[in-house]
Amino acid sequence: MRLIFVRHGEPDYKNDCLTENGLLQAKCTAERLKQEKISAIYSSPMGRAMQTASFTAKQQGLSVTELPFMHEIDWGTTLGAAEAGREVPYEGHPWTLACRLLTEQPEYSGSYAWAEHPYFRDNRLLAEYRKVSEGVDAFLEGYGLERTGALYRCRKECDETIALFAHGGSGAVLFAHLLNLPLPFVLTALPYGVCSVSVFALWPEQSEIVLPRLEIFNDMGHLDNVRKEKLHFDK
């Protein structure tokens, strides 16, 4: 199968919708995906993602199915840590903390021990990471891909192309989980912009084993003059 991942268009975070420019970006993205033989469209339940997905759905004559686990991630100090006086700096903002962690302690760049560091151990983000990772695996299992260790095993043939519209944070968790990369490294090394298109190929290589391949990353060529947002991520 192929998984097309699209981040939502330029957001009005306060009202959880797209800006006027974001609506133009979503229309351009629908044109970008017009030639893709998409069989199903999924989206985070949040307004800005659903709005972005709606243009592609209309173009393709499909409905949009909500995936609650792809809701944008939450972050901040956990209640237990706050009560113990262990406040996470920068209000727990994961991109800021990932950059700090990897520049202060570069040994974490390839380490899965990041989850044990106080920046993340005491951060609500960690629970969100687990929720999205587990949700991704359950979702892919519905398409015949069973998580086996760090990879997947193909249990039934699937040649479909599906599209998933979501966010900078929940999408980063998806990238980290599929590619088996530490989340702080993905947050710093693989940022992607509004209405960017990324494509994963999930085909069995030998026997039933699937090695997820990132074939396209952060394609924004379709946005032309409507690419205005400075790269940033918020709730």
Side-chain angles (χ1 to χ4, degrees):
M1 67 176 291
R2 294 171 72 239
L3 170 62
I4 299 174
F5 178 83
V6 183
R7 186 187 170 208
H8 60 73
E10 183 178 84
D12 174 346
Y13 284 117
K14 181 179 179 180
N15 297 301
D16 187 27
C17 63
L18 299 179
T19 64
E20 288 300 315
N21 190 56
L23 293 171
L24 293 175
Q25 292 170 338
K27 292 177 183 178
C28 291
T29 303
E31 284 297 311
R32 160 67 175 81
L33 299 176
K34 183 168 63 175
Q35 301 305 318
E36 298 283 356
K37 295 180 180 179
I38 297 173
S39 60
I41 296 176
Y42 299 91
S43 174
S44 152
M46 297 189 77
R48 54 192 184 267
M50 290 292 290
Q51 261 192 303
T52 306
S54 69
F55 290 92
T56 297
K58 183 177 180 180
Q59 176 77 262
Q60 302 272 346
L62 297 169
S63 59
V64 180
T65 301
E66 292 186 13
L67 293 181
F69 68 86
M70 287 303 297
H71 189 287
E72 182 56 302
I73 56 176
D74 187 24
W75 58 79
T77 306
T78 63
L79 180 60
E83 291 175 342
R86 300 194 309 271
E87 289 288 338
V88 178
Y90 295 100
E91 299 182 334
H93 189 262
W95 290 269
T96 302
L97 293 176
C99 185
R100 280 198 59 182
L101 175 63
L102 299 185
T103 52
E104 294 169 355
Q105 298 176 270
E107 65 271 18
Y108 275 92
S109 61
S111 171
Y112 288 92
W114 63 269
E116 300 169 10
H117 192 280
Y119 287 169
F120 297 103
R121 182 190 66 216
D122 294 332
N123 197 323
R124 294 197 300 272
L125 167 72
L126 190 56
E128 298 285 302
Y129 173 84
R130 292 169 179 152
K131 178 190 72 175
V132 175
S133 298
E134 292 170 1
V136 167
D137 286 344
F139 172 71
L140 291 179
E141 191 167 351
Y143 281 93
L145 298 176
E146 181 185 75
R147 185 83 175 192
T148 304
L151 299 174
Y152 292 88
R153 188 175 295 276
C154 183
R155 295 304 191 187
K156 67 179 181 181
E157 188 174 338
C158 177
D159 59 359
E160 294 186 56
T161 295
I162 62 175
L164 171 56
F165 293 75
H167 308 269
S170 58
V173 175
L174 179 146
F175 276 71
H177 190 60
L178 288 183
L179 297 175
N180 291 296
L181 294 171
L183 181 61
F185 181 81
V186 171
L187 291 171
T188 54
L190 295 175
Y192 45 88
V194 292
C195 275
S196 61
V197 173
S198 300
V199 180
F200 287 93
L202 298 160
W203 308 110
E205 296 290 341
Q206 295 184 6
S207 76
E208 302 173 336
I209 298 300
V210 174
L211 306 174
R213 295 196 309 271
L214 183 57
E215 294 192 331
I216 297 174
F217 176 69
N218 195 35
D219 176 14
M220 298 179 70
H222 51 287
L223 298 183
D224 297 327
N225 295 327
V226 295
R227 180 180 174 180
K228 297 179 180 178
E229 185 218 29
K230 292 183 178 179
L231 190 63
H232 70 285
F233 301 94
D234 206 340
K235 299 178 187 179

